């Protein structure tokens, strides 16, 4: 896997691209998202945007229909109302897609203008079937958002370094159509871990390589409240349990209460006084002061998610094109 940016040196490689975006109750996100899609530098006549409403309870689908009639880009509204799952919604988009390359992002992401240009460029090499772009943070105001930004929680560098096998997150991922035709679509009843499962199925069949495109950037807002943060890390834990059952991934070691108390004691007696002195000298911030307790909170949430999860039998189903 190559981590060097691939620059487009010619305008002759411009494959048709289908961008698939699942949307659930996305009324608040759609205006900014559509602006970002309209600003893409990739030739507009070579891109279709399939935005799939996943049984939203707000005006999402009506807004998508309105956008398709008034936008200068090709927006094709779709819906998936039978299965409540972002992967089922992506499958609905894939089935309607006409592009040679399928690109994925999420409704709460904000692609930079050159996102598609940079994400598609590596496919000029025929042995590349997967390209992962980078996921950066939108400016955060709360302490939790700033902590997640400091930790680069959503960065693809974590998933690309996965000890079992590298993968790209569907917040910023592109897949060659041929690969999907060979391995099938996403598991529609899986609620977490479907991006890893898809990438691993493709890589295990040795269809082609995974490339990292660091200049293909989407920005994402981090969780702002403890409730949202706990939900996010519990989902990470559930994902690991599901991937353990599907692929044999090692389970993460549970963090015990005694370990938590030890780490908190060390933080109170050693780290906090030391970082407080640095903060007074302007060499540390409030985020530095609370990094340890936030890290322990997320670790406990992830462990709980893994411990409590059980893969539903229907989540093993792989849909075909």
């Amino acid at each position: 896997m190559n981590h060097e940016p691939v620059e487009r040196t010619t305008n002759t490689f411009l494959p048709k691209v289908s961008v698939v975006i699942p949307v659930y109750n996305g009324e608040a996100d759609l205006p900014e998202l559509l602006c970002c899609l309209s600003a893409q530098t990739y030739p507009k006549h070579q891109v279709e945007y399939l935005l799939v409403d996943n049984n939203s309870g707000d005006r999402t689908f009506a807004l998508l229909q309105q956008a398709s009639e008034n936008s200068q880009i090709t927006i094709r509204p779709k819906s998936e109302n039978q299965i409540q799952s972002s992967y089922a919604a992506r499958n609905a988009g894939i089935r309607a897609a006409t592009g040679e390359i399928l690109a994925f992002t999420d409704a709460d992401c904000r692609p930079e203008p050159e996102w598609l240009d940079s994400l598609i460029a590596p496919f000029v090499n025929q042995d590349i079937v997967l390209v992962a772009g980078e996921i950066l943070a939108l400016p955060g105001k709360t302490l939790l958002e700033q902590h997640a930004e400091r930790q680069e929680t959503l960065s693809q560098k974590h998933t690309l370094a996965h000890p079992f096998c590298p993968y790209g997150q569907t917040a910023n991922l592109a897949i060659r159509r041929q690969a999907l035709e060979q391995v099938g679509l996403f598991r529609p009843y899986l609620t977490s871990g479907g991006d890893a499962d898809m990438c691993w199925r493709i890589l295990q069949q040795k269809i082609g390589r995974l490339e990292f495109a660091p200049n293909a950037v989407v920005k994402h807002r981090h969780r702002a409240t403890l409730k949202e943060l706990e939900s996010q890390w519990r989902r990470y834990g559930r994902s690991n349990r599901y991937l353990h059952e599907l692929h044999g991934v090692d389970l993460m070691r549970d963090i015990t209460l005694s370990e938590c108390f030890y780490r908190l004691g060390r933080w109170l007696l050693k780290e906090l006084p030391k970082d407080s002195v640095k903060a007074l000298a302007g060499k540390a911030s409030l985020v530095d002061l609370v990094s340890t307790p936030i890290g322990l909170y997320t670790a406990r949430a992830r462990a709980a998610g893994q411990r409590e999860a059980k893969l539903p039998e229907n989540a093993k189903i792989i849909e075909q094109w």
Side-chain angles (χ1 to χ4, degrees):
M1 182 176 61
N2 186 1
H3 285 223
E4 293 299 319
V6 177
E7 301 290 342
R8 171 167 289 149
T9 57
T10 174
N11 289 326
T12 58
F13 180 69
L14 295 169
K16 178 69 178 292
V17 179
S18 299
V19 179
V20 177
I21 306 174
V23 189
Y24 176 67
N25 289 343
E27 185 175 345
D29 281 312
L30 283 177
E32 281 188 47
L33 173 66
L34 293 172
C35 282
C36 291
L37 300 182
S38 298
Q40 290 301 303
T41 57
Y42 199 86
K44 289 179 170 53
H45 67 281
Q46 285 296 92
V47 189
E48 60 178 358
Y49 296 94
L50 297 111
L51 284 84
V52 187
D53 175 56
N54 192 200
N55 201 27
S56 296
D58 61 7
R59 297 176 58 245
T60 288
F61 193 69
L63 292 175
L64 291 178
Q65 289 180 310
Q66 183 181 357
S68 70
E69 296 168 359
N70 302 322
S71 179
Q72 295 182 344
I73 59 176
T74 302
I75 296 175
R76 299 179 58 198
K78 298 295 173 183
S79 61
E80 167 53 64
N81 298 326
Q82 300 302 311
I83 305 173
Q84 194 69 56
S85 157
S86 63
Y87 301 117
R90 291 185 184 100
N91 285 349
I94 292 169
R95 286 198 177 92
T98 62
E100 176 187 341
I101 308 295
L102 286 92
F104 300 90
T105 188
D106 294 325
D108 56 357
C109 288
R110 302 292 176 260
E112 294 284 279
E114 295 185 357
W115 169 60
L116 274 182
D117 256 321
S118 299
L119 191 67
I120 302 306
F123 286 105
V124 70
N125 300 317
Q126 287 300 310
D127 64 333
I128 292 173
V129 294
L130 290 158
V131 177
E134 184 57 294
I135 306 168
L136 302 179
L138 286 166
K141 297 179 181 179
T142 72
L143 196 61
L144 294 179
E145 289 175 306
Q146 292 166 11
H147 169 79
E149 182 177 0
R150 180 76 60 88
Q151 298 296 315
E152 298 180 301
T153 298
L154 296 173
S155 173
Q156 298 274 36
K157 71 180 184 181
H158 302 300
T159 57
L160 292 170
H162 195 285
F164 179 81
C165 187
Y167 71 93
Q169 300 167 78
T170 43
N172 194 354
L173 183 69
I175 307 176
R176 198 181 291 276
R177 185 186 187 95
Q178 166 202 348
L180 291 168
E181 290 173 340
Q182 282 189 240
V183 307
L185 308 186
F186 290 98
R187 300 180 195 263
Y189 293 97
L190 197 61
T191 56
S192 186
D195 39 16
D197 171 71
M198 172 62 76
C199 291
W200 293 348
R201 282 157 46 204
I202 291 171
L203 294 173
Q204 286 166 356
Q205 290 197 27
K206 302 188 184 304
I207 298 170
R209 295 192 296 113
L210 166 64
E211 185 88 7
F212 178 43
N215 294 332
V217 174
V218 303
K219 293 187 175 180
H220 192 286
R221 196 173 309 285
H222 286 298
R223 275 57 173 182
T225 67
L226 281 174
K227 183 178 180 181
E228 292 172 338
L229 190 68
E230 181 182 9
S231 175
Q232 176 188 21
W233 284 88
R234 278 181 175 266
R235 179 169 54 82
Y236 290 162
R238 291 196 301 272
S239 173
N240 206 65
R241 170 67 68 176
Y242 298 158
L243 293 172
H244 169 75
E245 296 191 31
L246 291 170
H247 293 274
V249 173
D250 289 339
L251 291 174
M252 296 170 290
R253 188 180 66 83
D254 203 346
I255 181 169
T256 65
L257 276 175
S258 60
E259 287 178 292
C260 283
F261 287 133
Y262 171 78
R263 289 289 290 114
L264 283 173
R266 177 173 174 153
W267 170 69
L268 282 168
L269 297 173
K270 292 186 176 181
E271 296 173 16
L272 188 58
K274 182 179 175 181
D275 289 336
S276 297
V277 172
K278 288 183 178 179
L280 290 172
K283 297 180 180 179
S285 67
L286 182 58
V287 176
D288 296 306
L289 298 181
V290 297
S291 178
T292 293
I294 294 176
L296 288 171
Y297 184 82
T298 57
R300 290 283 294 175
R302 183 175 63 180
Q306 178 179 267
R307 187 171 56 250
E308 296 164 3
K310 180 173 175 53
L311 183 72
E313 193 62 30
N314 62 4
K316 297 177 183 178
I317 296 171
I318 298 174
E319 285 193 344
Q320 300 302 314
W321 206 301

